[in-house]
């Protein structure tokens, strides 16, 4: 059912928090299709790859202002730094990446490049 949202090209806000059966490919399809997305919340979606969401958000989501990916698996420095240094990262106003193993290097990059946070 969530994949049908790819037809909603004007979609701006999407909250899928806690949908533990949600799979990564569906989220990525929505991110790629909905170029005007301003908010994405996939917090605690246990089957979703945080690393993949950050990679696609960095490459496709230039209108994104709020990204909530707390408690997702496999988010590391590489993905966070790539997001922070992207066009999407530069315009983020809210970023939630709790429950990750990122280091001070990621935090410093966020501070330097995500000036709207």
């Amino acid at each position: 059912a969530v994949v049908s949202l790819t037809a909603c090209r004007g979609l701006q806000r999407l909250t899928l928090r806690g949908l533990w059966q949600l799979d990564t490919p569906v989220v990525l399809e929505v991110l790629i299709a909905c170029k005007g997305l301003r908010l994405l919340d996939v917090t605690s979606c246990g089957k979703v790859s945080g690393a993949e969401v950050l990679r696609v958000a960095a490459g496709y989501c230039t209108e994104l202002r709020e990204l909530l990916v707390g408690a997702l698996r496999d988010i590391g420095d590489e993905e966070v730094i790539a997001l922070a240094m992207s066009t999407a990262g530069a315009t983020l106003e809210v970023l939630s990446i709790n429950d990750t193993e990122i280091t001070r290097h990621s935090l410093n990059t966020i501070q330097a490049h995500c000036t709207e946070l």
Side-chain angles (χ1 to χ4, degrees), residues 10-65:
L11 186 67
Q12 292 187 1
R13 303 176 62 84
L14 182 59
T15 300
L16 301 168
R17 177 183 291 253
L19 295 180
W20 57 276
Q21 291 288 17
L22 185 65
D23 288 318
T24 303
V26 173
V27 175
L28 301 184
E29 284 184 54
V30 171
L31 284 174
I32 292 167
C34 301
K35 304 276 189 222
L37 196 64
R38 296 179 61 83
L39 174 138
L40 176 67
D41 182 355
V42 288
T43 302
S44 299
C45 293
K47 290 185 175 182
V48 174
S49 165
E52 290 297 316
V53 169
L54 292 184
R55 281 189 202 110
V56 171
Y60 290 91
C61 300
T62 58
E63 299 298 318
L64 199 60
R65 299 298 178 265

Side-chain angles (χ1 to χ4, degrees), residues 65-115:
R65 299 298 178 265
E66 299 180 50
L67 181 59
L68 303 124
V69 292
L72 296 188
R73 59 186 168 87
D74 69 5
I75 293 177
D77 284 332
E78 181 181 337
E79 297 81 26
V80 172
I81 291 168
L83 175 68
M85 296 181 75
S86 71
T87 302
T91 58
L92 281 175
E93 297 171 358
V94 176
L95 176 62
S96 175
I97 50 173
N98 55 298
D99 294 331
T100 63
E101 301 280 331
I102 63 170
T103 66
R104 183 174 301 278
H105 186 58
S106 285
L107 296 175
N108 290 339
T109 304
I110 291 168
Q111 183 178 18
H113 295 279
C114 300
T115 57

